[in-house]
Amino acid sequence: MKKFGSSALDRRAFLTGVATAGLAAVTTSAFAQQTDIGEILAAPRRGNWDDQFDARSTTRAKVAGFQPIASRETVSFTESAINTYNQIVSGGGWPTVQPTVKLQLGVVDPSVPAMRKRLMISGDLAETAGLSNSFDTYVDAAVKRFQSRHGLPADGVMGQYSLAAMNVPADIRLGQLHTNLERLRKLASDDQGPRYVMVNIPAAQIEAVEAGRVAQRHTAIVGKIDRQTPILDSKIQEVILNPYWTAPKSIIQKDIIPLMRKDPTYLTRNKIRLFNEQTREEIAPETVDWNTDDAVKLMFRQDPGKINAMSSTKINFPNQYAVYMHDTPQQGIFNKLMRFDSSGCVRVQNVRDLNVWLLRDTPGWDRQTMEATIKTGVNTPIAVTNPVPLHFVYVSAWSTGDGVVHLRDDIYEMDGQAALSIGTNT
């Protein structure tokens, strides 16, 4: 397969803006054009003209919604998706797309009909769109829908990761749905309670659920392939504003000691102080022999502040893996395609919104109080009055509606098919 786009481990960064193009004058004058548009907009029976102006790719349900992953509805929709995919497989699956150029809006290429057919079979493109060689606005809308369902940036450009996801065979996707259906049935059968937080690891996404609906959805950063975020069940008991960060021994050994060998000022510049774990006596970095691994016996603690590894927030819950959820000073990482970049803990985008939701029943902690406390820079632990159930789960395939099948890379290779580990094998 020919690869397009960046060859780096990270997929393409999310677009940070939307490209715009000017409209050229045609044969009529600017005055006449303005008059014509004005008449259209002022027409009493124009209906939803501005809503229908853009081409629609399909009549299927929207990709985004408020339905939680852990619900009976999701199980039912996933069962229906399996029936649909059985029919697709029985019918010969879908074609492989093999372009010779990067496919995007405006391109005319012999590979476009195969892509149109592929998108029709998966329900992203209406069959009435036809099988021409043109990558038109209908195909653009269909590709964006496909990308959204696969957790990819919905930019309409068929880069290497979109192409790789599109060319996973239908029978492999069917097997992925079967594997994940069992996980979904287990989640739906458990009593999650009226309020809970669910971290879906392969989707790198967090749902805060209340009364059976997703109240908040957050982008996450989860564990690297060699430092995986664990599957667990717990309860969120504490939110710490302006937290200290204590480096785990694995990070001390794998990351900090090698950095200190290269740059002896690293700890000082990053406001990380060393302490004897037994006596709590502070130790000067220059007294440590960094050519050995003896430093793992010390406690490495970073002071609160903007450069703190957890920035404004640490969310604590009891677990045997010593992991937690937290903020980060590096907000740009949430724009990465591959959000598997932590040492096992979970970084939360817009974590302050989640804080407010978690502390709703904790007296004295509204949004204004929280923001004022963060500004002080003072370490402030807050006990959550009603601890909120928390679940770290692994679901790489599910459905939330008619024709809305969500599929993700099997980043930790738990689904049993190498073809699903696109992010690591492409």
Side-chain angles (χ1 to χ4, degrees), residues 67-82 176-192 196 198 200 202 207 393-401 404-407 415:
Q67 182 181 306
I69 285 181
S71 67
R72 290 185 174 87
E73 291 80 6
T74 300
V75 170
S76 178
F77 281 126
T78 304
E79 289 171 342
S80 296
I82 286 173
Q176 187 180 15
L177 283 165
H178 274 295
T179 298
N180 283 274
L181 178 61
E182 298 308 312
R183 298 169 184 163
L184 292 166
R185 283 173 174 164
K186 175 67 168 59
L187 292 175
S189 66
D190 293 340
D191 182 9
Q192 311 292 351
Y196 65 88
M198 184 160 288
N200 186 7
E207 292 181 349
V393 302
Y394 196 94
V395 179
S396 66
W398 70 98
S399 177
T400 54
V404 185
V405 181
H406 298 264
L407 300 160
D415 291 346

Side-chain angles (χ1 to χ4, degrees), residues 83-139:
N83 290 335
T84 299
Y85 274 59
N86 269 322
Q87 294 173 18
I88 291 172
V89 172
S90 298
W94 45 58
T96 299
V97 181
Q98 297 179 318
T100 57
V101 297
K102 182 180 285 187
L103 298 177
Q104 56 190 328
L105 185 63
V107 168
V108 177
D109 188 75
S111 64
V112 174
M115 185 172 66
R116 284 174 175 263
K117 187 65 175 177
R118 165 68 176 86
L119 292 167
M120 289 175 187
I121 291 171
S122 58
D124 296 299
L125 180 65
E127 292 189 6
T128 53
L131 297 174
S132 80
N133 289 354
S134 175
F135 194 124
D136 58 19
T137 55
Y138 289 94
V139 176

Side-chain angles (χ1 to χ4, degrees), residues 141-178:
V143 168
K144 288 175 180 176
R145 187 178 192 275
F146 173 89
Q147 290 170 327
S148 294
R149 293 194 301 104
H150 289 75
L152 298 163
D155 58 10
V157 179
M158 287 298 296
Q160 72 177 89
Y161 291 99
S162 293
L163 189 62
M166 187 167 284
N167 284 333
V168 173
D171 61 333
I172 300 293
R173 290 301 191 193
L174 176 59
Q176 187 180 15
L177 283 165
H178 274 295

Side-chain angles (χ1 to χ4, degrees), residues 1-7 159-160 163 425-426:
M1 178 192 304
K2 184 175 180 179
K3 297 183 179 180
F4 300 105
S6 172
S7 59
Q160 72 177 89
L163 189 62
N425 294 333
T426 301

Side-chain angles (χ1 to χ4, degrees), residues 208-230:
V209 180
E210 187 164 9
R213 286 172 64 83
V214 176
Q216 295 182 16
R217 191 172 274 122
H218 298 260
T219 300
I221 304 293
V222 297
K224 301 174 184 177
I225 295 167
D226 60 343
R227 302 186 196 183
Q228 297 182 8
T229 295

